Structure formats: structure tokens, C-alpha cells
Amino acid sequence: MSESPKPRSGRTAHGRRRVRSALALAAMELFAAQGFEATTVDQIADTAGVGRRTFFRYFRSKEDVVFPGHDERLAEVKEHLEAADRSADPLRVLAETAEFVLDMYLAEPEVSLKRFELTRQVSALRDKEIASIDRYQRVFARYLRDRCAGEPSGELRAAVAAAAVVATHNHVLRQWLRSGGELDARAELRRALEQVTAALAGQWCAAEPESVVVGAVVRTTAPAGVVLKQVEDALRDLPR
Amino acid sequence: MSESPKPRSGRTAHGRRRVRSALALAAMELFAAQGFEATTVDQIADTAGVGRRTFFRYFRSKEDVVFPGHDERLAEVKEHLEAADRSADPLRVLAETAEFVLDMYLAEPEVSLKRFELTRQVSALRDKEIASIDRYQRVFARYLRDRCAGEPSGELRAAVAAAAVVATHNHVLRQWLRSGGELDARAELRRALEQVTAALAGQWCAAEPESVVVGAVVRTTAPAGVVLKQVEDALRDLPR
């Protein structure tokens, strides 16, 4: 039996990811060696063994290459929040969204770890990373502001809760990076977010009330089966 | 009676502040008109009507001019936190420190308002501002990590509480900027921080216990004056 032919780089999802990672790693090596400003797109493409046009098929700019996927992920995060169930606990929705953001780092561990090393050395890149994280925080805050609208101090509460969720995400991400990618980051994030959202819940931004008053007058001497039947009937009449 | 002579610019505290503000405003006008990267220190100095050497007497770099005083203030914040009373509530200490940071913006309203306008237009400058704010957040988190050391999830709690205090500061700062400098930002920050630290208190990072057991056995039938005297005596023996 002959082996199936290898897919050509860039033509399959796997190939595309490989080219993108190669470009990102090449860029970060050059940034570390000669600085961010001094590095050109041509040099990055050369080092990764592809052409300038290929670079621009993957990244919009030199800035974009430092955090591959951030723009797309941010757009997905916005869509996700807009589509989220309005009766769901807003902090719960944000917690799920934070897991989704973390997944982006976990999907390309080599790039994430290299970048972590680099951002500790090159303060300009660290600043870019911080700005990138801040974009998520602003999207999170906007979502909460919308959900908390009308609550007393809604805007303040939204800003604080968004900051708390993002700080939790970053704390777990840092721990994962420090562990060299060994930590079970998904489980750790879930645990930490449960702790943080539990502390904030109620005080910060409540889910829209889903409370339903079931009016069913029953004689207390009626057998349990009859009571249950009457409550069931009452529930059946409620709008779905 | 003749008027007292005007102080020469740059020789008095007032004159120094005037030159510094002129440089900062000139820089921000140039950044808005032609971009941050394309603007040189010489152009900034020219526009402010001073020489290149004068520029470097006030600012270390072109980056520094965007947020005048940030480096010094950050150093002062670190000193303030290191010197803070170890028995004081750490969130209370951070709240005071946040007020101290806000004062920096309030001291030069013209520069702060101009910068706000500019950072909304020039994303590179906005990124620099965000990075600058993040430095405070990291210093705040480090302080809390140190104060919460040994508590369960101490590092997570420190990260979240620091983010909450900084988000509160930024929320009030933004409101003040949007009001064109009209809002009583100090009062508003105090009110907002009271609300946020009250919500976090106890759950996040407790002050070191200052509890003192006063052992003074008194007969319940003794007159109030005698009881008071005995308690006073007991307190006098406690280490200061």
C-alpha cells in the first residue's frame, strides 16, 4: 500500500496553519534579533521561505503577525456575544467567551510560547499585546453595559466585571505559559472563572428575570397527584 | 507701586509646568496632523518655540511626551505602596493610590483633554496609553500579591482586585474627560471605589489582623469609672 500524497502547503487547513505558524515564528525571531521597527515584511517572508504575496494572504500587516488570529477571534467574540441568549446569566456568557479566547492561544502553543518569551524582552511588543487584550476587555464591557443598562451604576459595574473576567483569563494564560504549556489551562480557567463570577454575581449584573408566577389554587387536602396535575395544567397555558 | 517681575519660563515650578505643557500640546498637535512615527523631537521643540535640548530637559523620549509625568508618577506609586502601613486594608491603600494617579490627569486638564481627543483618532497612541495604564495595574497587582501571599488563590485574587480598582479609575477618568473636565472627578472616584472595594472586601484580600485581646477582669457591679480605669490600665501595658 502506497502512502497517500502529502497535501501541498497552504492548500489544506493543516497546510495553511503550518505556513501561518512558520511566518509567525520567523517574524518573532527577527523581532527579537533586530527589533520590531527594523524588521520588514520581505525579511519575514524570506526567512519563512515564502514570497511577500503569501505573507499578505495570511496577515494584513507586520503588527498582525505578532498576534495571528486576534482580529478574526475578536470578530467572532463580538458575533458570539450578540447571538448569546438574553436570558442567560451575562457573567456566565462572558466566562464561556473567555474560554473561547483562551483556545486561540492553546491551539498554537509553539507560537504562544515564543511570543511570551519575546514580549518579556521587547517592550514594544508587550505594549501591542496589552493593547490587543484591551480590545477584548472593551468588547466584554460593551456587552455587559448593554445587559446591565438601567441598573444603578450599570456602566461602572460593567467595566469592573469585564476587567475581572479578563484579569482571570490573563492570570490563567500566564500560568500556562510559565508552565511551558503543561498546565491544563481549560480546567484551570473554568475553576478560576467560577470563583470570580460567583463573587461578582448578584452584586454586579443580574440576568434578565425569567421569573414566572404560576397561579394554581389547590385544596391542601387534595392528593399530591391532583396538585401536580393542576400545576402542570397551569404551566401548559404559559407562553413559551 | 510697580508690578513684580514675571518669572522667566522654566526657572520656576509654574514656568516649568508651562514649558512642559506647551511641549506636550505641540507634540499632540503634530501627532494628530502627521502621525506619531513621522513626527520628530526637533519639530516638537520648534513648534513649542524651544530648543531640542530643552525638550530633553523635560522628556526622555517622544513616547514620554504623550504621557508627561507617567514615569515619575509610577515611581511615586511604587514608593507609596512600599511605605504603606502593613496593617491597613490593602484595598483601601489601593483606593488612595488610585486617587493619587487621577490627580496627575486633573493637574493638567488641557493636556489630558487634548490627549483624549487624540487617542480616539490615533490608535498607536491609544495603544501607548493602554500600555501605560497596564503598568499601574501590574504594580497594584504586585502589591496585592505581596499582601495576599499565603491566602488561597492569592495570586488570582490580587490580579482581579487590581484590575477592578484600575477599571474603576479608568471609568471615572473617562467620565471626567467626556464631561470636558467639568465632573468632580475626585468625589466621583471616591464614591465609585467605595462601592467596588466594599463588594470585593472580605472575599478578596483581607488586611493583616490587628486584633488585640484586652484581658481585664472586672466586677460587673463596679462603677463605670472603675471599669474604664481597669481597661485603660490593661491597654497601657500592650506593646505599641
Side-chain angles (χ1 to χ4, degrees):
Chain A
M1 248 170 90
S2 68
E3 275 181 27
S4 57
K6 254 191 166 168
R8 274 181 61 198
S9 291
R11 290 297 173 91
T12 63
H14 176 74
R16 281 186 59 81
R17 177 172 293 177
R18 213 159 57 82
V19 174
R20 198 171 73 160
S21 283
L23 279 165
L25 290 171
M28 286 195 274
E29 269 159 33
L30 288 165
F31 295 157
Q34 61 189 40
F36 180 79
E37 296 304 340
T39 301
T40 66
V41 166
D42 287 323
Q43 289 173 328
I44 297 167
D46 265 9
T47 307
V50 300
R52 181 185 171 81
R53 280 173 57 193
T54 302
F55 177 93
F56 284 109
R57 225 171 283 144
Y58 290 88
F59 304 106
R60 288 189 308 178
S61 65
K62 202 171 70 172
E63 279 75 14
D64 191 28
V65 79
V66 186
F67 303 101
H70 256 305
D71 284 354
E72 292 161 39
R73 189 53 52 123
L74 190 64
E76 287 164 353
V77 160
K78 282 181 196 167
E79 276 173 36
H80 179 75
L81 292 176
E82 275 161 24
D85 182 359
R86 298 282 302 185
S87 70
D89 176 356
L91 289 178
R92 191 63 243 143
V93 172
L94 276 199
E96 282 162 18
T97 312
E99 277 186 45
F100 179 66
V101 175
L102 185 72
D103 282 344
M104 184 185 54
Y105 291 89
L106 304 185
E108 287 182 279
E110 209 190 339
V111 174
S112 298
L113 290 165
K114 184 88 192 158
R115 181 173 52 219
F116 180 56
E117 204 183 290
L118 188 64
T119 51
R120 287 198 290 187
Q121 291 160 23
V122 186
S123 69
L125 286 183
R126 183 165 170 84
D127 289 357
K128 279 175 202 298
E129 185 180 35
I130 290 161
S132 166
I133 290 164
D134 184 72
R135 283 186 196 103
Y136 289 105
Q137 187 164 325
R138 272 185 288 160
V139 169
F140 283 17
R142 202 178 306 141
Y143 168 75
L144 285 181
R145 260 204 311 278
D146 179 36
R147 291 292 310 271
C148 308
E151 287 193 25
S153 311
E155 207 175 318
L156 171 64
R157 284 161 192 239
V160 169
V165 170
V166 169
T168 306
H169 169 277
N170 294 346
H171 169 75
V172 172
L173 175 61
R174 250 190 326 269
Q175 285 193 310
W176 176 73
L177 291 165
R178 278 193 208 134
S179 78
E182 292 300 313
L183 182 82
D184 183 352
R186 276 188 199 86
E188 187 57 28
L189 181 62
R190 201 160 297 169
R191 198 196 58 72
L193 280 173
E194 257 167 39
Q195 194 181 338
V196 171
T197 55
L200 292 173
Q203 297 184 67
W204 295 97
C205 186
E208 274 174 25
E210 234 196 334
S211 64
V212 149
V213 177
V214 178
V217 179
V218 293
R219 272 193 302 272
T220 50
T221 53
V226 173
V227 175
L228 194 65
K229 181 72 179 54
Q230 283 177 290
V231 172
E232 263 177 14
D233 289 346
L235 282 171
R236 198 173 298 120
D237 296 336
L238 285 172
R240 299 276 144 180
Chain B
M1 244 171 96
S2 67
E3 275 181 29
S4 56
K6 256 191 166 167
R8 274 182 60 197
S9 291
R11 290 298 173 89
T12 63
H14 176 74
R16 281 186 58 82
R17 176 172 293 175
R18 213 158 58 83
V19 173
R20 198 171 74 161
S21 284
L23 279 164
L25 289 171
M28 285 194 274
E29 269 160 32
L30 288 165
F31 295 157
Q34 61 189 39
F36 180 79
E37 297 303 342
T39 301
T40 66
V41 166
D42 286 323
Q43 289 173 327
I44 298 168
D46 265 10
T47 306
V50 300
R52 182 184 169 82
R53 280 173 58 193
T54 302
F55 177 93
F56 285 110
R57 226 172 280 144
Y58 290 88
F59 304 106
R60 288 188 308 181
S61 66
K62 201 171 70 172
E63 279 75 15
D64 191 28
V65 79
V66 187
F67 302 103
H70 256 305
D71 284 353
E72 290 160 41
R73 188 53 54 121
L74 190 64
E76 287 164 353
V77 159
K78 283 181 194 165
E79 275 173 35
H80 178 74
L81 291 176
E82 275 162 23
D85 182 359
R86 298 283 300 185
S87 70
D89 175 356
L91 289 178
R92 190 65 242 142
V93 171
L94 276 199
E96 282 161 18
T97 312
E99 277 187 45
F100 179 64
V101 175
L102 185 72
D103 281 345
M104 185 186 53
Y105 291 88
L106 304 185
E108 287 182 280
E110 209 190 340
V111 174
S112 297
L113 290 166
K114 185 89 193 161
R115 180 172 53 219
F116 180 56
E117 205 184 289
L118 189 64
T119 51
R120 287 198 291 185
Q121 292 160 22
V122 187
S123 68
L125 286 183
R126 182 164 170 84
D127 290 356
K128 280 174 201 297
E129 184 181 35
I130 291 160
S132 166
I133 289 163
D134 186 72
R135 284 187 194 103
Y136 289 104
Q137 188 164 325
R138 273 186 286 161
V139 169
F140 282 18
R142 200 178 308 142
Y143 168 74
L144 284 182
R145 264 205 308 281
D146 179 36
R147 290 292 309 273
C148 306
E151 287 194 23
S153 311
E155 207 175 316
L156 171 64
R157 285 162 190 241
V160 169
V165 170
V166 169
T168 306
H169 169 276
N170 293 345
H171 168 76
V172 173
L173 176 60
R174 250 190 326 269
Q175 285 195 309
W176 176 73
L177 290 166
R178 279 193 208 134
S179 78
E182 292 300 312
L183 183 81
D184 183 351
R186 277 190 198 85
E188 188 55 29
L189 180 63
R190 201 160 297 168
R191 197 196 59 73
L193 281 172
E194 258 167 38
Q195 194 180 339
V196 171
T197 55
L200 294 172
Q203 299 185 65
W204 294 98
C205 184
E208 274 172 24
E210 230 196 339
S211 64
V212 149
V213 178
V214 178
V217 179
V218 292
R219 269 195 303 275
T220 51
T221 52
V226 173
V227 175
L228 194 67
K229 181 73 179 54
Q230 283 176 290
V231 173
E232 265 178 14
D233 289 349
L235 283 171
R236 198 173 298 121
D237 295 338
L238 286 171
R240 298 277 146 178

